[in-house]
Amino acid sequence: MFSSLRSTAKLAAISLFDPLGSLVWRKTPAELGLTPQADAGRPELGDAIVLPAVRDAAPGRWRLQLEARAGAKGQVLLSYRVLPRFELSLSLLSAGSSGAMIAAGEPLLLVLRGQDYGVPLTNWVARAPQLSLRDSRGELVASPKAEAGARTATGILISDEPGALIARFSLPAAGEYRLTAQHQFRATAKPLQAELLLHAAAPKAALALSGLRLEQQAGAAGVCVRAVLFDFAVSVATAGNYACNISLVGPAGSRMVSASSMLAAGAGRISVRVGADKLAALGGPLTALARVGLIRFGPSEAGLVAELQEVALSAEQANELRAVYMAVCRP
């Protein structure tokens, strides 16, 4: 419970009594923290006095007693807030946070925050909160993982907000969903829960790795690989200019490659070329694509429309890339 008051009457003392009638404290305005009328915002309201917060307040009627100086008269305005001991809150960093319709398959970023009497908590997670995404039938669809200091596949920090946890997820198909977070705070009898109701429209795009192709050349040392082309099957709801970005991560580092194409509405294809120099710089053969994103460019509906995380290669593709790594064209 947090409160403050404004008074045009000069006060000698203020006392607070709990629901049992016991005196909690009695202090002068100076002891509480007085901002004189002349220095306070809206001076016509009088002196500003901050009252100390009451934590873990017992239920019942609390009483505040004001003692005016001899002969003092005026008006008193009291404001207060009653805040819970701990709170969980959920919000979206993308799509629904701006009121825009969420499309099925669209990458979403969730922010999970904890508060103690309205004050943001930092380093509050000894055990990660449980997240669950359920469809309109109540069936579990996904269990996103919320983490502090979350970064993109290329190492960029998503949010530096102290205490904020980030989770990545998407809604798999059109329909209604309920996203629930649950966490057990210390000094709470049972876990606290926060929920978001989400609605997904038809997907804007679909993206899938369809195969690999090699670009080779013959030389004095034999045939070597100049590049690998990753072929993606795509399906977009709106025709336009699209780019496909791939994040490649290997033992020695990471590289980002991309390709763009004008796509008609419906099924199509984008091929992304990865040069031999980039393959060699990874320090080892690829077994997965760290991230693949499909981005739409244009005056409307611009932005990321589909995303794949940790795209595992088939055994055949992984073996092929292992052989490619040994056979890339080197200077």
Side-chain angles (χ1 to χ4, degrees):
M1 184 167 62
F2 302 78
S3 57
S4 62
L5 63 83
R6 301 293 298 269
S7 176
T8 56
K10 299 302 178 182
L11 301 178
I14 302 173
S15 302
L16 180 67
F17 296 86
D18 67 18
L20 297 177
S22 301
L23 177 66
V24 178
W25 50 256
R26 180 180 184 276
K27 297 179 181 293
T28 66
E31 290 173 328
L32 291 169
L34 170 71
T35 300
Q37 179 175 1
D39 299 328
R42 298 195 61 186
E44 70 276 9
L45 298 179
D47 297 335
I49 304 170
V50 177
L51 305 182
V54 177
R55 294 178 176 268
D56 300 319
R61 186 184 297 275
W62 290 69
R63 183 164 60 90
L64 195 66
Q65 179 176 291
L66 310 180
E67 301 172 34
R69 293 181 184 175
K73 295 181 180 181
Q75 174 179 282
V76 175
L77 296 176
L78 174 69
S79 64
Y80 68 93
R81 293 184 299 159
V82 179
L83 300 174
R85 180 70 174 89
F86 290 107
E87 281 184 291
L88 274 181
S89 65
L90 296 173
S91 61
L92 292 179
L93 276 179
S94 51
S97 60
S98 62
M101 180 67 72
I102 298 172
E106 181 179 356
L108 301 174
L109 291 174
L110 173 80
V111 186
L112 177 62
R113 299 177 177 89
Q115 292 185 325
D116 181 4
Y117 287 122
V119 178
L121 289 170
T122 59
N123 301 322
W124 56 282
V125 181
R127 186 177 63 183
Q130 296 179 341
L131 291 173
S132 60
L133 180 68
R134 297 182 182 274
D135 61 20
S136 58
R137 296 171 295 178
E139 295 184 4
L140 183 65
V141 173
S143 299
K145 180 183 177 182
E147 57 183 340
R151 294 178 178 272
T152 66
T154 56
I156 299 174
L157 186 66
I158 295 175
S159 172
D160 59 359
E161 179 185 342
L165 306 183
I166 304 294
R168 303 177 183 89
F169 72 105
S170 62
L171 306 180
E176 301 288 339
Y177 296 86
R178 183 184 301 271
L179 182 65
T180 303
Q182 185 172 282
H183 184 67
Q184 177 70 61
F185 287 95
R186 66 183 190 279
T188 56
K190 58 182 180 179
L192 295 187
Q193 191 167 291
E195 292 185 344
L196 274 180
L197 296 178
L198 304 171
H199 176 80
K204 294 180 180 178
L207 177 67
L209 178 63
S210 58
L212 306 177
R213 290 182 292 126
L214 303 184
E215 185 180 298
Q216 299 175 312
Q217 72 177 31
V223 176
C224 63
V225 177
R226 295 178 56 192
V228 173
L229 288 93
F230 291 87
D231 288 334
F232 292 91
V234 297
S235 179
V236 296
T238 307
N241 190 17
Y242 290 83
C244 183
N245 297 336
I246 307 178
S247 175
L248 305 172
V249 179
S254 62
R255 291 292 187 275
M256 178 73 77
V257 291
S258 65
S260 61
S261 178
M262 288 294 298
L263 297 176
R269 193 185 84 173
I270 290 183
S271 294
V272 182
R273 183 181 186 275
V274 183
D277 56 337
K278 289 184 172 62
L279 289 172
L282 296 175
L286 290 170
T287 59
L289 307 181
R291 176 186 172 276
V292 182
L294 185 65
I295 300 173
R296 172 177 164 79
F297 297 95
S300 62
E301 299 183 39
L304 187 65
V305 293
E307 183 181 51
L308 302 174
Q309 296 281 345
E310 295 299 327
V311 182
L313 302 175
S314 67
E316 181 181 355
Q317 291 169 337
N319 288 334
E320 187 173 8
L321 282 183
R322 191 172 295 110
V324 165
Y325 177 73
M326 301 302 296
V328 295
C329 298
R330 292 178 168 86

